[in-house]
Amino acid sequence: DIQMTQSPSSLSASVGDRVTITCRASQAIRNHLAWFQQKPGKAPKSLIYAASSLQSGVPSNFSGSGSGTDFTLTISSLQPEDFATYYCQQYNSYPLTFGGGTKVEIK
Amino acid sequence: QVQLQESGPGLVKPSETLSLTCSVSDDSISSFYWSWIRQPAGKGLAWIGRLHTRGSNNYNPSLESRVTMSADTSKNQISLKLTSLTDADTAVYYCARERRDASGWLYFDSWGQGTVVTVSS
């Protein structure tokens, strides 16, 4: 199985801050990487696919980059509604696997 | 916009079989791939398996001996059966729709709200 490692596991930030979350795959996955946002008690919401393509309706302050084994999710200016847990996921090979999550909390 | 609604028994006894349904509206299930994912309370996400109504299924090897996914096109529903339940199967279960990216690979684009399953005697 491909292991997906996210860092940090949690972070504290203020509204307006630039936030960067990293995801590393245990082997190369090309750009077959997605990011999800999950709020407490809610289903995950798809944000980004193909490492850098925004899902329809996702605000432009979210962006993704990377290829191969190293990927980044950036929130350019953190908004109150962005406080949540973020997961990366590889869809390059079976079984599909997720990172352990990064919780973004209010400072 | 597609709507996915999971439903199931909520509480199941150990060793029994779990049956869940995902009802899909505003899209034909035959047009897409569909996955089940689960999440134990306070933990991360784990993929269970993928189905297409006109193709073969793919299951997580960790669950493959206990999982069956099927589709009812007349009801536009996807189903999951998980046998020989233990406490470790207690989780929120999600269904998700998949579509192809520009290179033809499948990614999740829409999720149901999830259904809670507790395995307990």
Side-chain angles (χ1 to χ4, degrees), chain A residues 53-70:
Chain A
S53 296
L54 242 58
Q55 290 272 5
S56 175
V58 173
S60 59
N61 62 317
F62 287 91
S63 64
S65 65
S67 184
T69 60
D70 294 315

Side-chain angles (χ1 to χ4, degrees), chain A residues 15-64:
Chain A
V15 172
D17 284 354
R18 181 181 181 90
V19 169
T20 299
I21 298 169
T22 296
C23 178
R24 175 164 289 175
S26 61
Q27 57 188 270
I29 58 170
R30 290 173 275 191
N31 70 333
H32 302 145
L33 189 283
W35 290 97
F36 305 94
Q37 176 194 68
Q38 187 177 34
K39 298 181 180 179
K42 300 295 187 182
K45 173 187 174 183
S46 298
L47 296 177
I48 287 171
Y49 65 96
S52 61
S53 296
L54 242 58
Q55 290 272 5
S56 175
V58 173
S60 59
N61 62 317
F62 287 91
S63 64

Side-chain angles (χ1 to χ4, degrees), chain B residues 10-88:
Chain B
L11 179 65
V12 192
K13 289 182 168 53
S15 80
E16 292 190 342
T17 295
L18 171 67
S19 294
L20 298 178
T21 298
C22 174
S23 299
V24 179
S25 57
D26 297 331
D27 253 329
S28 168
I29 62 171
S30 298
S31 301
F32 294 91
Y33 285 77
W34 306 89
S35 271
W36 287 94
I37 300 108
R38 68 181 184 178
Q39 184 175 35
K43 297 189 177 180
L45 299 157
W47 177 72
I48 298 170
R50 166 186 286 163
L51 167 146
H52 191 282
T53 60
R54 291 193 285 265
S56 61
N57 298 347
N58 299 100
Y59 300 135
N60 193 319
S62 67
L63 296 169
E64 190 162 17
S65 63
R66 301 194 290 131
V67 171
T68 303
M69 293 176 60
S70 60
D72 185 335
T73 54
S74 67
K75 296 181 179 178
N76 219 42
Q77 291 178 337
I78 304 296
S79 295
L80 170 72
K81 286 193 188 310
L82 185 63
T83 63
S84 305
L85 293 175
T86 70
D87 291 351

Side-chain angles (χ1 to χ4, degrees), chain A residues 32 38 43 46 91-92 94, chain B residues 39 50 58 101 105-106 108 112:
Chain A
H32 302 145
Q38 187 177 34
S46 298
Y91 56 92
N92 189 73
Y94 294 120
Chain B
Q39 184 175 35
R50 166 186 286 163
N58 299 100
D101 66 15
W105 293 78
L106 292 164
F108 303 131

